Amino acid sequence: MTVRVLLVDDQEMVRTALRLVIDRREDLSVVGESADGEQAVSHAIELRPDVVLMDVRMPGMTGVEATRRLTTSWPGPGPVPRVLVLTTFDLDEYVHAALRAGAAGFLLKNSPPDQLAHAIRAAAGGEAVLAPSVTRRLIDTVTALPAALLPNAPDRPEPEPGEGRPEDGPDGPGDPSGLNALTERELHVLVLVARGMSNARIATALGLSEGNVKSRVNRILTRLGLENRVQAALLAHRAGLTGSFRTATTPGSQQDTADSTGDPSASS
C-alpha cells in the first residue's frame, strides 16, 4: 500500500526537498502541496492524504490551527489524516500547541531522510512519532502546559481479573489527572509508553502479547480522555510517574528500554 502525503510549508524550497525525499520511496507518494494552513485544510479534504506534513509557523492560518481543524472537524468520509508537525529547536511552544491540537507527533526539518520516511510510515500505521533529539526538551517543559491537557477522570473502572489497582492512584484521592481511573497494570503500561517504548517492546518487558498491549493502550487513552499516546506520555511525565516503576524484563528487553529514547516512534 502506498502512503499518500500532503506537504504543507510556506517555503517552496522546503516542499521541493521534502518531495524529493518522499517520492524516492516506492511506498510513499506526495499527492499535493500547500503553502499555508488554510490551503492545507482545503487540500486535505480534497485529496484525502494518509499523512500531512505540517509546518507550524506560516502566514495566515498557522499549522496549529490547521491541525486542530483537521482533527476536530474532519468532514469525512474516510479516516482523519495523521498530522506530523515539522519544527525547529526554537519552536517548542508551537510543538506543545500542535500536540494538544491532535497532531500525531513532530519531527525536525533537518531530520535524516530515512528517519523522515520511517516517521511517515509509522504515522500512517497509527503510531505516534517523536523526534528523539527534542523529546527531552518537551518533557522538561511539560509542567508549563495548560491544565487542559489533563481531563477530568471518568468513573473508576473495576480491575480486570488478576490485576490489582492502587487504592487512590499515584496522586491520592481525587487525582485531577484521572490516573486513579487506571488499574495497576495499566499504570505500568502508561509508564513504559512515557519512556518511549513501542507496543512490541512493552510486550516483551511485561510478558504480554503485542495485541494485548495495544488493547491496554487504547483503553488507557479512552479512560483518560486523551487523543494519542503522545499526550499520554506528557501526562505521565507531568505526574512524575516515569521513575516510579521497575520493569521485570525478559532477555533483551533491558537494551530495548535503554534504546527507547532513540526510537522515533511508538505504535499505538
Side-chain angles (χ1 to χ4, degrees), residues 8-26:
V8 184
D9 197 291
D10 61 322
Q11 298 183 47
E12 184 177 0
M13 289 184 64
V14 172
R15 298 198 306 271
T16 299
L18 290 171
R19 178 182 282 274
L20 288 173
V21 170
I22 294 169
D23 281 343
R24 286 179 180 176
R25 273 68 181 178
E26 292 184 357

Side-chain angles (χ1 to χ4, degrees), residues 62-109:
T62 68
V64 172
E65 178 58 27
T67 297
R68 182 177 295 108
R69 293 196 184 187
L70 288 175
T71 58
T72 62
S73 304
W74 180 248
V80 179
R82 303 279 288 175
V83 179
L84 287 182
V85 172
L86 294 174
T87 185
T88 55
F89 278 113
D90 61 340
L91 292 178
D92 285 347
E93 68 274 18
Y94 291 97
V95 173
H96 299 159
L99 293 179
R100 293 196 301 274
F106 62 91
L107 290 172
L108 295 178
K109 286 188 176 181

